[in-house]
Amino acid sequence: MPIVAPSVLAADFLNLEKDLQLINQSEAEWFHLDIMDGVFVPNISYGMPVMKAIKKVAKKTLDVHLMIVQPERYIKEFAALGADILTVHYEVSPHLHRTLQEIKNAGMKRGVSLNPHTPMSVLENIITDVDVLLIMSVNPGFGGQKFIENTYDKIKAAKELIERKGADTIIEIDGGVSPANASKLVAAGADALVAGSAVFGAENPLEVIRQLKNS
Ligand code: DX5
Ligand code: ZN
C-alpha cells in the first residue's frame, strides 16, 4: 500500500480548515505542501504565514516541496514551521550534499526532487543521503497537468540505483497522479503518491484517497 500525500495546492483556500480536516480524517498519511517562488517555477503559491496556519490544523506528516531557488536559505525557517520532510530540487542545489546535511541537522527528513528532464544518474553519489526521492511526473509549477509517461522508466532507474547503493530511500511521485495510473506507479516501485486535483477536484475525496491507498 502506498503512502498517500494529498497536495494542499488544490484545496479550497476559502475553506482551507475544512479541507485539512477532511485529510486528517482520511486514510492519507502525509500533507504535501508546494512552496513556489515565481523564479524557479513560473508560479507563486503560498508561503510561511499560510504554512503556519496549516500546521495548527494538519495532524499528519508535513511533506514540504520547495520549488524555490537557493532553498538552503530557508531550512531553519521550515523546520521551525513544523516541516517533517523538506524536499529541495536538484536543479537549484549546487551544494546538495551540504544542503541535505543541514536539513538532517535541523531534524527533518531529507528530500530531493528531480524535474522530468533530469536523469536519475545525477544522484549516483548522493542517494544514500536521500530519505525521500520526489520524482516530478509533470513540470513543476502547476496542479492539474498531464502525467508524463516516461516517469515509469524513471521509477525503475530509481529502484535500481537505490538497491545497488543499499539506500533506504522512499520513492514519491508528484504530478498528474490519479486512481487511473496509481496501480501502475506502485507496480513500477512508487512508495508514495502525491495527488492534488484528483483528490480535491473529486465529488468524494475520501473515496479517491481510499482508491489511491488500495493501488
Ligand atoms: C506541481 C506540484 C504538485 C501539484 C500536483 O508543481 O509539485 O504537487 O500540486 O497536482 P496534481 O496532482 O493536480 O497534478
Ligand atoms: Zn509538489
Side-chain angles (χ1 to χ4, degrees):
M1 270 196 181
I3 291 165
V4 174
S7 171
V8 173
L9 190 64
D12 177 0
F13 290 127
L14 285 178
N15 295 282
L16 195 49
E17 185 171 4
K18 180 174 143 278
D19 277 359
L20 296 173
Q21 294 293 10
L22 183 101
I23 303 308
N24 280 339
Q25 286 151 22
S26 77
E27 294 173 49
E29 290 91 346
W30 296 354
F31 285 90
H32 185 83
L33 307 184
D34 290 302
I35 311 292
M36 304 177 186
D37 67 355
V39 179
F40 175 56
V41 291
N43 194 13
I44 299 174
S45 56
Y46 52 83
M48 278 88 168
V50 174
M51 187 170 158
K52 197 172 172 185
I54 290 172
K55 175 67 186 167
K56 289 184 189 157
V57 176
K59 298 296 175 221
K60 298 180 172 182
T61 295
L62 296 188
D63 171 34
V64 178
H65 177 192
L66 296 182
M67 283 161 274
I68 65 175
V69 296
Q70 298 184 305
E72 64 280 357
R73 291 167 67 202
Y74 297 104
I75 292 169
K76 287 202 177 76
E77 280 86 344
F78 280 102
L81 284 163
D84 297 292
I85 303 165
L86 193 65
T87 295
V88 299
H89 266 263
Y90 165 82
E91 295 83 6
V92 287
S93 301
H95 302 289
L96 185 59
H97 187 273
R98 181 190 295 143
T99 301
L100 295 183
Q101 264 181 333
E102 289 174 2
I103 293 173
K104 187 178 185 184
N105 290 342
M108 297 174 288
K109 296 274 186 214
R110 301 156 294 182
V112 175
S113 185
L114 297 185
N115 275 343
H117 76 282
T118 305
M120 200 51 61
S121 56
V122 300
L123 300 181
E124 262 303 299
N125 294 299
I126 194 78
I127 193 70
T128 51
D129 294 306
V130 179
D131 299 306
V132 178
L133 167 55
L134 183 65
I135 299 177
M136 290 311 301
S137 40
V138 297
N139 286 295
F142 303 92
Q145 300 182 83
K146 189 172 179 290
F147 178 84
I148 296 171
E149 295 290 326
N150 182 55
T151 305
Y152 298 110
D153 286 347
K154 248 172 137 175
I155 298 172
K156 286 189 192 115
K159 266 195 89 72
E160 187 277 322
L161 176 62
I162 289 164
E163 274 165 25
R164 181 161 49 83
K165 297 282 186 176
D168 57 1
T169 313
I170 288 176
I171 299 174
E172 183 178 17
I173 311 302
D174 187 7
V177 174
S178 75
N181 56 15
S183 296
K184 198 172 166 191
L185 288 166
V186 172
D191 304 302
L193 303 174
V194 176
S197 45
V199 168
F200 291 106
E203 283 283 308
N204 187 345
L206 291 178
E207 177 55 27
V208 172
I209 290 169
R210 194 169 304 125
Q211 287 172 17
L212 293 170
K213 273 298 310 167
N214 290 317
S215 301

